[in-house]
């Protein structure tokens, strides 16, 4: 698993809730202390908290049809959150959102899977990036905590 370290964050004026971020990994390449699994895939905690701000315009969440497991559609929660946390991608030589599609996030007391990530930029005069992330809730019985 790549070593993810948050290197870019807006320090003032961005208030949100702190959450944990889990990325896919294989057992041979992690030293993470906390690991969860979903659909027979393991996810490791990146070791740093990420700040998330709800962008639901006063709405706690939306209920919409989603597919939490293959061929099983039900109405579940969907939220849009924003973060400014980014890491430097050595391969692309640019900063990217620390959260990627498919990652698991634990925030607001629940586990969520990242469904989309959109970047919005503001120049003041340096570039500042804000990332809007679509989150689908994961039912508690689908997540298993692993002991390392």
């Amino acid at each position: 698993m790549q070593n993810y370290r948050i290197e870019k964050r807006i320090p003032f004026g961005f208030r949100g809730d702190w959450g944990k971020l889990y990325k896919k990994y294989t057992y041979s390449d992690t030293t993470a202390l906390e690991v969860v699994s979903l659909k027979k895939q393991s996810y490791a905690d990146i070791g740093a908290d990420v700040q998330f701000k709800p962008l639901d315009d006063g709405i706690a969440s939306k209920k919409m049809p989603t597919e939490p497991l293959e061929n099983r559609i039900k109405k579940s929660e969907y939220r849009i959150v924003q973060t400014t946390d980014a890491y430097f991608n050595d391969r692309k030589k640019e900063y990217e959102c620390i959260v990627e599609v498919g990652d698991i996030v634990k925030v607001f007391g629940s586990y969520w899977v990242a469904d989309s990530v959109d970047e919005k930029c503001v120049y003041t005069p340096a570039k500042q990036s804000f990332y809007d992330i679509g989150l689908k809730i994961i039912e508690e019985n689908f997540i298993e905590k692993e002991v390392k």
Side-chain angles (χ1 to χ4, degrees), residues 59-115:
I59 301 170
S61 61
K62 297 177 184 173
K63 294 268 187 187
M64 57 190 306
T66 60
E67 188 175 13
L69 289 176
E70 285 184 49
N71 300 320
R72 186 174 167 203
I73 296 176
K74 62 172 277 186
K75 286 199 179 232
S76 64
E77 287 184 59
Y78 189 86
R79 281 194 112 138
I80 306 290
V81 296
Q82 188 175 73
T83 189
T84 61
D85 294 357
Y87 76 100
F88 189 76
N89 185 326
D90 288 327
R91 189 174 49 82
K92 293 182 180 180
K93 304 294 184 214
E94 63 185 27
Y95 286 97
E96 290 187 348
C97 182
I98 194 75
V99 180
E100 297 171 322
V101 172
D103 289 349
I104 293 178
V105 174
K106 184 173 185 193
V107 68
F108 314 124
S110 298
Y111 287 96
W112 308 78
V113 65
D115 188 46

Side-chain angles (χ1 to χ4, degrees), residues 9-23:
R9 169 183 285 158
I10 294 178
F12 304 107
F14 187 87
R15 291 200 173 113
D17 292 79
W18 293 98
K20 288 191 173 287
L21 175 62
Y22 301 87
K23 296 210 173 259

Side-chain angles (χ1 to χ4, degrees), residues 28-44:
S28 61
D29 66 356
T30 189
T31 59
L33 298 176
E34 190 171 333
V35 177
V36 297
S37 62
L38 174 69
K39 296 183 188 178
K40 298 181 182 175
Q41 175 64 52
S42 294
Y43 296 79

